[in-house]
Every structure is written in structure tokens, then in C-alpha cells.
Amino acid sequence: QVQLVESGGGLVQAGGSLRLSCAASGRTFSSYTMGWFRQAPGKEREFVAAISWSGGSTNYADSVKGRFTISRDNAKKRVYLQMNRLKPEDTAVYYCAATSRGIATMKYDYWGLGTQVTVSS
């Protein structure tokens, strides 16, 4: 079992930056692929980024590539999402997720409750 709690969301102007953090509980955090997803009002949840258990591999949605960076600290049981050059279309609730599958999967087993990110124009 893994429990996930996101933090770091807020209101920022377009072009600004935010760093999201996800704190995990559970002894096997380092064995999980971790991901970030987001859901905007009236839209389906979409993949943002993922990182392998070792941190050696990452994957990004095209819409955030070059602007967002995912990272993890297995000793602290945390995963991060650094978001730069934010755009109004990045406004959404951001969710942290964990899976025992590989980095290419979209099937995640555990989810946090989300943190709101609002980007004003």
C-alpha cells in the first residue's frame, strides 16, 4: 500500500513557476514508477509526466515537454514536478500517482487527492 499527498499548488501568473511535491508513505516507495496527471474543469484526466523507480528514465506529455521536470528522492519518499513557463492552459488539479508497472504504462494503482494549480493570464 502507498499513500500519496500532494502539495505546492497555488495561483501563479503566466510565465511563472511552481514546484509540486508528493509525499509517499510505505516501505516500497523506491520500487514504484511515479507519475503526475492533471484534470482541468470539464476535461478528462491526462498524463503529465512519469519517472522510473530509479529516476533514470522519465517520460513527458508533449504539452509540457521542455517546461516541466519530474524528479524523485527515494530516501525522502518524495516525487517532484517543477513547472516553468506556466500557461493558462496548465490550470488543473494535479495528481500524484504510483504504479508497480513500467514507465510506459498508463495504469496506476495509487492516487493522491490532488492539488490545485491556477495560472492567470
Side-chain angles (χ1 to χ4, degrees):
Q1 280 278 37
V2 177
Q3 292 184 325
L4 305 170
V5 179
E6 303 93 336
S7 61
L11 174 64
V12 63
Q13 287 188 332
S17 298
L18 280 176
R19 189 194 195 204
L20 304 184
S21 179
C22 174
S25 65
R27 294 181 296 174
T28 58
F29 170 78
S30 60
S31 67
Y32 285 95
T33 294
M34 299 298 297
W36 286 97
F37 290 75
R38 67 186 182 186
Q39 187 167 20
K43 295 187 177 181
E44 293 190 352
R45 185 170 58 196
E46 64 175 359
F47 169 78
V48 175
I51 188 166
S52 63
W53 66 270
S54 67
S57 296
T58 57
N59 191 22
Y60 296 94
D62 288 343
S63 59
V64 306
K65 206 170 290 185
R67 299 188 298 122
F68 291 11
T69 303
I70 188 170
S71 61
R72 68 188 295 162
D73 185 332
N74 285 341
K76 295 183 178 180
K77 296 184 181 179
R78 285 187 177 264
V79 62
Y80 305 98
L81 186 68
Q82 178 67 45
M83 306 186 294
N84 298 328
R85 291 185 281 136
L86 283 161
K87 304 175 181 180
E89 51 263 44
D90 294 318
T91 295
V93 177
Y94 283 71
Y95 298 91
C96 175
T99 180
S100 56
R101 302 171 182 85
I103 194 172
T105 189
M106 289 294 119
K107 294 182 179 180
Y108 281 71
D109 305 303
Y110 304 101
W111 295 85
L113 295 180
T115 185
Q116 176 70 47
V117 171
T118 303
V119 184
S120 62
S121 56

